[in-house]
Amino acid sequence: MASPRTAVVGATARNQVSRTGRIASAPRMGLAPSVQRLPSTLPLDEILIGDCIAAMDRLPAESVDCVFADPPYNLQLGEAGLTRPDQSVVDAVDDDWDKFSSFSAYDDFTRAWLKAARRVMKPNGTLWVIGSYHNIFRVGSALQDLGYWILNDIVWRKANPMPNFRGKRFTNAHETLIWASRSPQAKYTFHYDALKAGNEDLQMRSDWFIPLCTGEERLKDEAGRKVHPTQKPEALLARTLLAATNPGDVVLDPFFGTGTTGAVAKRLGRHFIGCERDPTYATAARARIDSIETLSAASLALATPKRSEPRIPFLSVVEAGHVRPGETLTDERRRFRATVRPDGQLSVGPAMGSIHKVGALVQGLPACNGWTFWHAERGGKLVCIDDFRTEMRGQAGA
C-alpha cells in the first residue's frame, strides 16, 4: 500500500474511534486498551489520523482478520543524492516518515508496530508486510522474535523497475512480501483452489510478476506530481486479499498512505481500517475509496474448496454408469492403459489397485492424482474421469 510510514513511536494518541466520521481525528480518546470491546466498536471503513501504534493500541484485541503493512523502508541510510545519466535528479523517497537515526531506532519502531498489530489480529489471522533489501530482513527477524509464524516470502518482480543509473549494482527489480500467521497453530485462510484456477490450473508460485503503479491508477496532485512516492499497484493488493481473506473480513493497514488497501478491500467486499499520519494522504485516500464500487455478491462468492466437497469414490462413478466395468482408461497422451474392475479398482496386467495407486505405478512415481490422470474415451474424445465426479456432485446438490 501506499505508506504513511509514521516514524513516531509512542506519540500522543489523537485518533477517535468513531462510527460516524469517515476520517477520525478528534482529540477525544477512545476506550482504554484494557477494556474488552465488542466488534461493533470497530471503526470499519474509516481512516484514523495519527500515530499508527497509538491507533492500534485503542482497537479491540483479536478484532481484525488480516493486516497488510507497507512500513517505512528506511531508504536514507547510506544513500546519497541520485542522478540519471543526463544529470536529472531521481525522484527518490526523502520524506520525514522514512528517516530514522540508526538501525537500532528502526528496529525499535518495527517491533513496536508489529507487537501492536499482533495484539489486534484474530488467532487465525495473517499479516502481510512488504519491503526492500533495506529493511525486510530486519522486519523478518522481528516477526519471528515476536511469535509470528512465517508462511511464505513472496517476490514481487516488477515489470518496469527503475534502472540502476550508477551501474555499480544489479538493478533492484523486486520487493519482498512476508506472509505470516499470528502463531504456528493458526488455522489461517488460504484460497489455494481459487488461486490455482485463476493461474491456468497451476499452483500459484511465490514469485509474482506485476507492473508498478502507473497511468490513471497513480494518484497525482493538481500540478501533476505524485501524491505519494511509493504507491503500490492495486493488482498486488488484490492478489494478497483474494488469497488470504473472505468477503466481510476486516483488513487493517497501519501505513495507509493513499489508500490502495482500502480501495481494493472495498471493491472485493472486505472492510478496512486505515491508520495514516499525514492528513493530505488521508484526504486523497478517502476521495479515492469513495469512488470505488463494490463488486456484486455473485462475483465475490467463494467457490467450495474441493477438499470440502462431498466425497464420491470411484466405485460410485462406476456404479452410476459413467464408467463401465471392463472399460479401458488411458492418460491424456494415451501412453498408459488400465482396465476398470467392477469393484472400482483398476488393473494393469497382474497389478491392481485404486485409480491413484495404479496411476502412480504405471508412471513409476510415488503418488498420482488418479482423478485428473485417467481419461475415458467418449465420442472419439478423451474425457477426464474427474468430470464424471463433478457431474455427480452437481446432481447431488441440485
Side-chain angles (χ1 to χ4, degrees):
M1 272 323 342
S3 43
R5 306 168 170 157
T6 173
V8 181
V9 180
T12 301
R14 297 185 302 276
N15 304 345
Q16 175 188 2
V17 180
S18 166
R19 297 293 299 170
T20 56
R22 310 194 84 177
I23 299 179
S25 57
R28 182 167 66 90
M29 291 293 291
L31 296 176
S34 60
V35 177
Q36 182 63 39
R37 281 166 284 192
L38 299 174
S40 61
T41 64
L42 279 176
L44 297 179
D45 307 323
E46 293 185 11
I47 306 171
L48 309 180
I49 305 297
D51 174 54
C52 68
I53 298 169
M56 287 189 283
D57 283 347
R58 290 195 310 281
L59 294 177
E62 300 184 356
S63 59
V64 304
D65 300 281
C66 182
V67 176
F68 185 92
D70 184 7
Y73 288 9
N74 198 20
L75 297 176
Q76 279 77 19
L77 285 178
E79 296 288 342
L82 183 60
T83 58
R84 299 181 177 87
D86 63 3
Q87 300 307 306
S88 61
V89 178
V90 174
D91 184 18
V93 177
D94 57 2
D95 302 79
D96 288 341
W97 48 253
D98 197 52
K99 295 178 181 178
F100 295 83
S101 61
S102 64
F103 284 127
S104 177
Y106 185 79
D107 291 344
D108 289 344
F109 162 75
T110 299
R111 284 189 290 268
W113 77 257
L114 283 173
K115 184 177 179 181
R118 189 169 183 270
R119 185 189 69 83
V120 300
M121 289 170 61
K122 294 179 181 178
N124 294 328
T126 57
L127 172 141
W128 299 81
V129 57
I130 187 170
S132 67
Y133 70 88
H134 301 85
N135 72 321
I136 198 63
F137 304 107
R138 311 188 78 85
V139 172
S141 177
L143 277 168
Q144 292 179 316
D145 289 345
L146 291 171
Y148 287 90
W149 185 254
I150 294 178
L151 302 169
N152 275 114
D153 65 323
I154 308 292
V155 174
W156 168 32
R157 190 160 64 96
K158 302 174 183 179
N160 44 353
M162 180 183 293
N164 185 275
F165 296 110
R166 289 175 177 165
K168 295 182 178 180
R169 300 184 185 182
F170 297 106
T171 296
N172 295 322
H174 78 279
E175 293 183 27
T176 301
L177 295 97
I178 296 176
W179 182 38
S181 60
R182 192 173 183 267
S183 72
Q185 296 77 32
K187 296 179 180 179
Y188 54 88
T189 297
F190 179 50
H191 295 298
Y192 168 85
D193 291 321
L195 291 172
K196 183 178 179 182
N199 195 40
E200 298 185 353
D201 289 325
L202 297 174
Q203 287 187 344
M204 182 65 71
R205 292 161 48 114
S206 62
D207 53 335
W208 298 353
F209 186 63
I210 298 174
L212 290 166
C213 178
T214 57
E216 293 184 1
E217 186 181 323
R218 167 68 77 169
L219 269 62
K220 295 183 179 180
D221 60 19
E222 294 80 1
R225 297 178 298 239
K226 299 174 184 176
V227 173
H228 196 288
T230 64
Q231 182 179 333
K232 297 300 184 290
E234 292 187 6
L236 184 70
L237 266 296
R239 190 172 295 186
T240 62
L241 297 190
L242 289 171
T245 66
N246 298 311
D249 279 359
V250 178
V251 183
L252 169 68
D253 187 336
F255 310 100
F256 203 60
T258 50
T260 305
T261 297
V264 174
K266 182 179 178 182
R267 181 176 290 115
L268 297 179
R270 279 72 168 164
H271 293 291
F272 71 86
I273 300 172
C275 306
E276 175 49 58
R277 185 184 174 196
D278 189 322
T280 301
Y281 292 160
T283 299
R286 186 74 264 170
R288 175 187 186 183
I289 295 167
D290 286 347
S291 70
I292 297 294
E293 297 215 0
T294 302
L295 296 173
S296 67
S299 65
L300 294 174
L302 298 173
T304 303
K306 288 188 175 181
R307 293 178 183 178
S308 64
E309 291 178 337
R311 182 179 179 274
I312 296 179
F314 183 62
L315 176 58
S316 296
V317 175
V318 175
E319 292 172 338
H322 292 289
V323 178
R324 301 177 301 277
E327 182 176 355
T328 298
L329 301 183
T330 183
D331 67 294
E332 190 174 19
R333 296 168 60 185
R334 300 181 186 272
R335 298 168 298 169
F336 308 106
R337 299 167 68 85
T339 303
V340 179
R341 290 171 47 87
D343 59 5
Q345 296 188 83
L346 300 185
S347 62
V348 176
M352 65 181 66
S354 70
I355 56 174
H356 312 296
K357 182 177 179 180
V358 173
L361 176 67
V362 297
Q363 297 178 88
L365 298 175
C368 169
N369 182 347
W371 287 110
T372 56
F373 179 74
W374 292 112
H375 293 66
E377 187 159 345
R378 297 289 183 270
K381 296 182 179 180
L382 291 180
V383 177
C384 180
I385 62 172
D386 196 32
D387 290 352
F388 304 134
R389 180 173 64 161
T390 299
E391 182 181 343
M392 291 180 65
R393 283 173 170 161
Q395 292 170 347

